[in-house]
Amino acid sequence: MACAGSGPFEVPWLFDYEWAAAVILAHRVFAGAVLVVMLAWAGGFTRVITVPRAFVVAGAATCGCGLWLLCWVFRTIKPSIDASLLLAFAMRDVAQEQHLCMGALLTVAGASELLHGGALGAAFPTSCSRPWLHTVWCANMGFVGLLFIGHPQLGPDETVRHLVLGLSIGGGALSLRLEKLAGKLDADQDLTEAPY
């Protein structure tokens, strides 16, 4: 049996090897989404892709990661088990509650990037390109960073890794928000002049 997260209860239908495999999969998907976001913005900085497209690709990866994480909690952890058991598990385990929150926050953050990128690229009305979207994105990503900091871990190494990741996500979100609000990522100046 597995004791998920750092909660005090055991889950009789979830074995340690199943939980370990599910966690590894979740981390790989998250890392893949981060890689896509980094590549999108690297492409924007080097002008391989346009800034609106960088917003769209980064937003799609972020939103997709959030939606996947929601599905992961409710289905992918153990697809063969009844969904009601997974729901009960998600509502009793602090780590699963945090995963649900992260999934929702990432979905909203990605959607705000998609709207902004679509507006810059004229796929959506320009009313979708508003400074408040950058604040929505920053707030959601900042809360994801806070959740990483407080995410229960089994050992000190994992705790330190999550602390560093959480601070990086929060600091990066704040820095990028400043750039976005200044218009420095909306193709009105060279991206290499954006100091953050």
Side-chain angles (χ1 to χ4, degrees), residues 61-114:
T62 305
C63 190
C65 182
L67 291 171
W68 185 88
L69 190 54
L70 291 170
C71 291
W72 181 80
V73 171
F74 289 123
R75 203 78 221 133
T76 312
I77 288 176
K78 188 166 181 176
S80 62
I81 200 75
D82 184 68
S84 63
L85 288 174
L86 286 169
L87 177 61
F89 172 49
M91 296 299 120
R92 288 179 52 203
D93 183 53
V94 172
Q96 300 322 303
E97 291 170 350
Q98 289 180 339
H99 289 146
L100 289 174
C101 289
M102 281 184 212
L105 291 165
L106 289 168
T107 301
V108 172
S112 70
E113 295 259 271
L114 283 168

Side-chain angles (χ1 to χ4, degrees), residues 144-163:
V144 168
L146 287 174
L147 286 168
F148 262 80
I149 291 169
H151 201 49
Q153 298 301 312
L154 296 176
D157 289 343
E158 291 88 1
T159 301
V160 169
R161 272 188 233 118
H162 277 75
L163 175 65

Side-chain angles (χ1 to χ4, degrees), residues 10 22 42 71 75 78 126-127 156 188:
E10 290 187 344
C71 291
R75 203 78 221 133
K78 188 166 181 176
T126 54
S127 62
D188 60 352

Side-chain angles (χ1 to χ4, degrees), residues 112-194:
S112 70
E113 295 259 271
L114 283 168
L115 281 174
H116 185 69
L120 289 178
F124 300 122
T126 54
S127 62
C128 292
S129 177
R130 295 282 188 243
W132 64 267
L133 282 173
H134 300 317
T135 303
V136 168
W137 178 84
C138 177
N140 282 275
M141 293 305 295
F143 282 122
V144 168
L146 287 174
L147 286 168
F148 262 80
I149 291 169
H151 201 49
Q153 298 301 312
L154 296 176
D157 289 343
E158 291 88 1
T159 301
V160 169
R161 272 188 233 118
H162 277 75
L163 175 65
V164 170
L165 283 169
L167 291 172
S168 299
I169 292 168
L174 183 58
S175 296
L176 275 173
R177 179 184 176 271
L178 295 173
E179 297 288 12
K180 290 174 179 180
L181 288 177
K184 294 180 180 177
L185 295 182
D186 292 348
D188 60 352
Q189 72 180 49
D190 193 336
L191 291 180
T192 57
E193 295 175 20

